[in-house]
């Protein structure tokens, strides 16, 4: 018998339906949910991150939401530590830990026995890159990363300058890419993991993304971002998130509101595509197609059958 702790992980691109499924699974299997989203940790960033509301939680405990101020940084290593701690705490209560989210590298860091490289920093090199960003722009520096480490570049947004610089720094110091370090470690799954991926045909997914953005605007995204803008938050990890940087460009007078909204939709669609590519290349996932949203009950039954077989658990639903 496998002595590893049971863990249910629900991944997939933005707007595919992870939140709804996670609630259903938590109710069925007496679970608590840990957010696997690197931006929902920030307080005051609710609309743009599609953060679950208290009403949507339906009484299910949620973890790693609203734990940081937007001015604070947050690393993969910190996420790994916090989530593993939550998994243990939830399991000790006799409940099933469920991770739901779309930040692939973060989730991968938790479920695999992978230690982050202790590659030292090179302050002088980093300062050179920071200066270069100001001269040539984010995208040009990102293209330098694409040339030397396309795999890392594929899961780092061009505007996440801090991570782009760190990836280039590692390559500069070692001659190896970040992915090379992962490959040499050959990590094993730390938990008895049911890794569920949700997918959807592209046309329907993109429609859902566009609709979600329109709803975010209607629900007050502009006011939410303006509040951060008025606090003087600029060079922060949080503001690089999709949904915030586009509105910042509008508030800076660089684009019209209509252009900002269209950029937000386009960036969200591109991000969804990158998410799917990353998950398919990096993780052994059991995929479920959620295109037929009107047949949710049937899909729940399929997923439940898989979870019960994989984790040897019984449903509370009779």
């Amino acid at each position: 018998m496998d002595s590893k702790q049971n863990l249910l992980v629900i991944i997939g691109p933005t707007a595919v339906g992870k939140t709804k499924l996670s609630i259903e699974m938590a109710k069925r299997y007496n679970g608590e949910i840990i957010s696997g989203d690197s931006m929902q940790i920030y307080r005051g960033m609710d609309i743009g991150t599609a953060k679950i509301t208290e009403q949507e939680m339906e009484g299910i405990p949620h973890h790693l939401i609203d734990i940081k101020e937007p001015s604070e940084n947050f690393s993969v290593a910190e996420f790994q530590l916090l989530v593993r701690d939550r998994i243990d705490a939830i399991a000790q209560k006799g409940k099933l830990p469920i991770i739901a989210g779309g930040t692939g590298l973060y989730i991968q860091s938790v479920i695999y026995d992978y230690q982050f490289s202790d590659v030292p920093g090179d302050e002088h090199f980093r300062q050179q890159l920071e200066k270069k960003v100001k001269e040539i722009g984010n995208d040009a520096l990102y293209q330098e990363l694409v040339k030397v480490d396309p795999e890392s570049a594929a899961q780092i947004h061009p505007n996440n300058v801090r991570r782009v610089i760190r990836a280039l720094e590692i390559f500069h110091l070692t001659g190896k890419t970040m992915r090379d370090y992962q490959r040499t470690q050959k990590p094993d799954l730390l938990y008895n993991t049911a890794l569920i991926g949700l997918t959807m045909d592209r046309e329907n997914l993109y429609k859902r993304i566009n609709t979600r953005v329109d709803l975010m605007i209607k629900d007050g995204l502009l006011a939410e971002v303006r509040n951060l803008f008025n606090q003087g938050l600029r060079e922060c990890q949080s503001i690089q998130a999709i949904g915030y940087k586009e509105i910042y460009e509008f508030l800076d007078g660089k684009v019209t509101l209509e252009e900002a909204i269209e950029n937000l939709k386009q960036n969200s669609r591109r991000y969804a595509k990158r998410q799917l590519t990353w998950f398919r290349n990096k993780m052994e996932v059991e995929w479920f197609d959620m295109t037929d949203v009107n047949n949710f009950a049937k899909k729940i039954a399929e997923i439940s059958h898989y979870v019960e077989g994989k984790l040897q658990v019984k449903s509370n639903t009779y």
Side-chain angles (χ1 to χ4, degrees):
M1 182 174 175
D2 196 337
S3 61
K4 291 180 180 177
Q5 166 60 44
N6 278 347
L7 176 67
L8 174 57
V9 180
I10 301 169
I11 60 172
T14 185
V16 78
K18 298 183 293 294
T19 297
K20 185 178 179 181
L21 177 65
S22 67
I23 294 293
E24 185 64 35
M25 293 291 104
K27 289 192 290 187
R28 283 184 177 234
Y29 303 112
N30 190 27
E32 295 191 8
I33 297 169
I34 303 168
S35 171
D37 185 295
S38 62
M39 290 297 162
Q40 292 188 357
I41 61 162
Y42 291 112
R43 301 182 192 102
M45 296 177 64
D46 304 335
I47 299 169
T49 64
K51 198 177 290 176
I52 190 169
T53 65
E54 193 169 339
Q55 185 178 3
E56 289 170 335
M57 288 181 187
E58 297 187 39
I60 302 296
H62 279 66
H63 304 265
L64 260 66
I65 292 175
D66 293 339
I67 63 168
K68 291 273 188 180
E69 294 299 331
S71 57
E72 295 180 276
N73 282 332
F74 189 62
S75 68
V76 185
E78 186 178 357
F79 178 84
Q80 181 193 68
L81 192 68
L82 288 172
V83 174
R84 287 179 179 174
D85 180 65
R86 296 299 196 283
I87 289 171
D88 290 343
I90 293 167
Q92 283 172 12
K93 291 190 278 186
K95 294 192 170 187
L96 176 65
I98 302 171
I99 301 176
T103 309
L105 181 65
Y106 279 58
I107 293 172
Q108 185 189 44
S109 78
V110 170
I111 65 176
Y112 290 100
D113 188 13
Y114 170 75
Q115 300 298 317
F116 286 95
S117 167
D118 289 325
V119 177
D122 183 331
E123 187 64 31
H124 178 67
F125 181 72
R126 198 180 306 133
Q127 286 175 356
Q128 285 181 320
L129 293 185
E130 287 168 355
K131 183 182 177 184
K132 188 181 279 191
V133 166
K134 293 175 182 176
E135 294 170 352
I136 65 176
N138 296 0
D139 194 63
L141 188 72
Y142 177 77
Q143 292 307 319
E144 290 189 16
L145 180 61
V146 170
K147 289 176 188 174
V148 299
D149 188 358
E151 283 188 89
S152 291
Q155 52 85 29
I156 299 175
H157 193 276
N159 286 343
N160 195 337
V161 176
R162 188 177 60 85
R163 284 188 61 203
V164 170
I165 287 176
R166 179 56 179 158
L168 285 167
E169 185 181 33
I170 288 172
F171 185 80
H172 166 73
L173 287 166
T174 67
K176 293 182 179 180
T177 67
M178 292 171 74
R179 301 281 74 82
D180 286 337
Y181 276 93
Q182 285 185 325
R183 291 192 187 97
T184 58
Q185 293 198 355
K186 296 178 183 175
D188 296 319
L189 280 169
L190 273 178
Y191 307 97
N192 183 35
T193 308
L195 185 51
I196 292 170
L198 304 186
T199 187
M200 184 177 283
D201 80 66
R202 186 173 295 183
E203 184 180 354
N204 276 286
L205 181 62
Y206 285 3
K207 279 181 184 176
R208 283 170 67 94
I209 289 171
N210 291 341
T211 300
R212 173 182 276 191
V213 171
D214 289 334
L215 191 60
M216 285 176 174
I217 297 297
K218 184 180 176 185
D219 286 346
L221 178 62
L222 186 57
E224 179 174 279
V225 180
R226 193 186 296 276
N227 180 49
L228 300 169
F229 184 87
N230 289 341
Q231 290 177 47
L233 293 170
R234 280 272 165 189
E235 305 302 321
C236 302
Q237 185 177 342
S238 60
I239 304 305
Q240 293 162 2
I242 295 171
Y244 296 86
K245 59 188 179 61
E246 294 85 359
I247 303 299
Y248 259 60
E249 288 181 347
F250 161 67
L251 295 174
D252 280 330
K254 295 177 181 177
V255 297
T256 66
L257 181 58
E258 290 73 20
E259 287 170 334
I261 293 169
E262 188 50 49
N263 289 341
L264 172 48
K265 289 178 179 178
Q266 185 180 66
N267 288 338
S268 297
R269 294 192 300 266
R270 287 174 174 169
Y271 178 57
K273 185 179 178 182
R274 290 201 306 274
Q275 282 176 301
L276 277 169
T277 301
W278 200 93
F279 288 134
R280 285 176 173 144
N281 290 340
K282 304 297 178 187
M283 293 179 172
E284 301 224 354
V285 181
E286 189 74 19
W287 289 99
F288 293 89
D289 193 312
M290 307 298 285
T291 300
D292 186 2
V293 291
N294 296 320
N295 216 344
F296 189 68
K298 182 183 176 186
K299 199 58 64 173
I300 285 289
E302 285 178 26
I303 294 170
S304 298
H305 179 72
Y306 172 75
V307 169
E308 288 164 24
K310 183 74 175 175
L311 301 182
Q312 299 298 298
V313 292
K314 292 183 179 178
S315 170
N316 296 327
T317 307
Y318 299 100

